[in-house]
Amino acid sequence: QVQLVESGGGLVQPGESLRLSCAASGINFSLYIMGWYCQAPGKQRELVATIINNSSTNYADSVKGRFTISRDNAKNTVTLQMNSLKPEDTAVYFCNAVHYLTRYAYWGQGTQVTVSS
């Protein structure tokens, strides 16, 4: 059974940081493109960042320079370091795994990030 379990969300003030983690099980982790997506109330789910290996990453323009995605293939985890958070970053953040060949995708249940003063 495939599971993607996110953790690390919460309520922070603007300018602060959060670190999201996603633990994967039931998949051959190294064969998957890992990513983070977010969905704000009333909006569509959108890409935040993806990582193929630790030297191949992709970021939404809105988070470039503030967020960093990384992965540990030995621990089957992917992490999103979120710095200089803004109120507009408020959303539910979802972990995503896409097989590099078949493109079959799995999703986590999401973790809430709220940035508010």
Side-chain angles (χ1 to χ4, degrees):
Q1 182 182 358
V2 177
Q3 282 192 309
L4 300 178
V5 180
E6 301 101 333
S7 60
L11 170 64
V12 296
Q13 294 188 346
E16 293 186 339
S17 298
L18 274 177
R19 187 178 179 88
L20 305 183
S21 292
C22 172
S25 60
I27 60 173
N28 188 339
F29 188 78
S30 63
L31 298 182
Y32 283 77
I33 301 166
M34 299 302 299
W36 289 95
Y37 288 72
C38 69
Q39 187 167 18
K43 294 188 176 181
Q44 290 188 330
R45 193 172 298 187
E46 58 185 29
L47 170 74
V48 176
T50 60
I51 184 167
I52 298 176
N53 53 52
N54 282 333
S55 63
S56 182
T57 57
N58 181 52
Y59 295 93
D61 287 343
S62 60
V63 306
K64 284 180 181 177
R66 299 189 299 123
F67 292 8
T68 302
I69 189 170
S70 60
R71 65 189 292 164
D72 186 334
N73 286 351
K75 296 182 179 180
N76 288 6
T77 58
V78 59
T79 300
L80 185 68
Q81 178 66 43
M82 310 165 69
N83 297 332
S84 302
L85 282 160
K86 304 175 181 180
E88 50 264 43
D89 295 320
T90 295
V92 178
Y93 284 73
F94 296 89
C95 180
N96 170 259
V98 177
H99 192 278
Y100 86 102
L101 195 58
T102 66
R103 299 304 190 189
Y104 194 85
Y106 298 99
W107 292 91
Q109 82 287 351
T111 185
Q112 177 70 47
V113 171
T114 302
V115 185
S116 175
S117 55

